[in-house]
Amino acid sequence: MVKCHLSRLMGEKKMKITDVARATGVNRGTITRLYHETAVRVELDTIDRLCQLLDCEVGDLLEHVGE
């Protein structure tokens, strides 16, 4: 399973879903699904934009956890 840490990273920077959507140009629904960890797939461009905005590495945003 892949865990998304977007909500934690956004919380650390006190950002709202709307702020992230506006700053990255990524659809608000996509950000919401990542935030709530209900996304099934994500474009690499979306990951790139989020990492740039949040000043983090892919490994900080996404984590593989074994089950």
Side-chain angles (χ1 to χ4, degrees):
M1 176 168 100
V2 175
K3 184 154 179 64
C4 182
H5 298 290
L6 180 61
S7 61
R8 180 180 52 81
L9 293 169
M10 286 173 55
E12 290 172 0
K13 297 189 181 283
K14 296 184 176 21
M15 298 180 85
K16 296 179 181 174
I17 290 173
T18 305
D19 301 331
V20 175
R22 282 188 190 135
T24 60
V26 174
N27 181 287
R28 189 179 193 287
T30 301
I31 302 298
T32 300
R33 285 188 294 280
L34 287 167
Y35 184 91
H36 293 291
E37 296 189 65
T38 58
V40 179
R41 66 182 137 267
V42 185
E43 294 287 329
L44 292 176
D45 183 57
T46 298
I47 295 170
D48 181 50
R49 290 178 188 205
L50 289 171
C51 287
Q52 286 180 17
L53 176 68
L54 299 168
D55 191 29
C56 69
E57 297 294 322
V58 175
D60 298 327
L61 181 62
L62 302 172
E63 175 187 13
H64 179 260
V65 262
E67 281 192 19

